[in-house]
Amino acid sequence: MRDSGAPWVSWALLVVCFMLAVPAAVPEADAPASAQAQVEIPESRMPVVALTFDDGPRASTTGRLLDELALREVPATFFLLGHRIPGNEDLVRRMAAEGHQIGVHTYDHVEVTGLSRADFDLQVGKTRSLLLDILEEGDFWLRPPYGSTDASVQAWADSPIVLWSVDPEDWRDGDVDRIVAGVVEHVRDGDIILLHDLYPTSVDAAVRITDALLAKGYCFATVEDLLERNGIEAQKGGLYRSGRL
């Protein structure tokens, strides 16, 4: 299940990981003791995480974030608010064209538990319809605001439901150092990282987090690719907090 306009999503992970292959020094059999050969660590052994961003799109912040991700060839997953899409259609198209996964975060950022089916469809279905009008096809997985789910949400979602395993609460105080530490000091292989592309400080933090994890040998994938890489077959109504089994 892949979103439209993203022909390289399936191999973006391979590109990033190949570029980040970590050289290990080992002596060559016929070389002097001081000579070293470089051996690449296979991509399959590298830790992989998913960056996810909620509450956009917003022209000033999302545009800058996309610029920074493009420079690093890092894919991410964006869960969009429907009421922010009109006027930002070009940002949505750019996300898809550059290989990012696009999902739904409701229309008005409302808690979906307790909604009637009609109201749920207005919040989720209306946002999907907007995305379909722009991109013509796509699955648009759901991230419910506040991570709130219940049996009805799972039954009505019509897609996998994406939660998270690392949350630095970047909305709380705008402290970039704290946000970066909240991710870099706790992240591990398979994590889904929750951030927001609504705040300039969150974009600053996201750039620093990306660079720090790249330096540590991490690779990045969309949520869909992260699950697939780890042999997880995403199901409609299924809850996914990380890419770990």
Side-chain angles (χ1 to χ4, degrees):
M1 291 186 288
R2 300 198 178 279
D3 292 327
S4 64
W8 59 271
V9 171
S10 59
W11 53 265
L13 173 61
L14 298 178
V15 173
V16 175
C17 290
F18 177 79
M19 292 176 65
L20 287 170
V22 180
V26 295
E28 289 182 311
D30 299 324
S34 59
Q36 303 290 323
Q38 299 298 311
V39 177
E40 289 185 345
I41 296 175
E43 176 269 330
S44 61
R45 290 174 51 192
M46 293 181 176
V48 184
V49 296
L51 287 173
T52 67
F53 298 92
D54 290 1
D55 292 356
R58 183 182 184 189
S60 59
T61 49
T62 307
R64 181 163 68 91
L65 176 61
L66 289 172
D67 290 343
E68 298 289 354
L69 294 174
L71 283 173
R72 294 158 176 80
E73 296 185 334
V74 166
T77 303
F78 291 86
F79 294 97
L80 307 184
L81 290 175
H83 78 268
R84 293 188 179 277
I85 293 174
N88 286 310
E89 292 87 351
D90 286 347
L91 281 176
V92 176
R93 294 187 187 96
R94 181 181 174 188
M95 289 174 187
E98 295 182 357
H100 304 293
Q101 185 177 353
I102 298 171
V104 170
H105 199 45
T106 73
Y107 194 86
D108 294 308
H109 202 279
V110 300
E111 191 165 353
V112 291
T113 53
L115 291 180
S116 68
R117 180 63 190 266
D119 287 340
F120 181 90
D121 288 343
L122 279 174
Q123 289 295 327
V124 177
K126 183 178 181 180
T127 306
R128 282 200 179 115
S129 293
L130 285 172
L131 292 171
L132 283 169
D133 287 344
I134 297 168
L135 300 176
E136 298 183 354
E137 61 178 341
D139 299 314
F140 312 122
W141 294 8
L142 174 65
R143 170 171 281 166
Y146 317 109
S148 299
T149 64
D150 59 17
S152 293
V153 172
Q154 290 183 257
W156 299 338
D158 198 32
S159 78
I161 298 171
V162 181
L163 301 179
W164 56 85
S165 51
V166 176
D167 177 11
E169 297 185 348
D170 57 318
W171 47 267
R172 180 152 54 91
D173 55 17
D175 184 333
V176 175
D177 289 339
R178 181 193 62 77
I179 297 165
V180 172
V183 175
V184 175
E185 294 178 6
H186 301 284
V187 73
R188 60 191 179 112
D189 186 27
D191 273 331
I192 295 175
I193 301 165
L194 171 61
L195 294 165
H196 299 76
D197 54 319
L198 194 62
Y199 312 108
T201 51
S202 294
V203 175
D204 294 340
V207 172
R208 286 179 51 185
I209 289 165
T210 300
D211 287 343
L213 294 184
L214 288 172
K216 288 175 174 286
Y218 276 80
C219 301
F220 294 87
T222 64
V223 171
E224 184 175 6
D225 282 342
L226 179 67
L227 297 180
E228 288 184 2
R229 176 186 185 273
N230 292 335
I232 300 171
E233 185 176 352
Q235 303 291 330
K236 290 184 178 181
L239 300 177
Y240 302 94
R241 294 177 172 82
S242 75
R244 295 183 289 273
L245 289 169

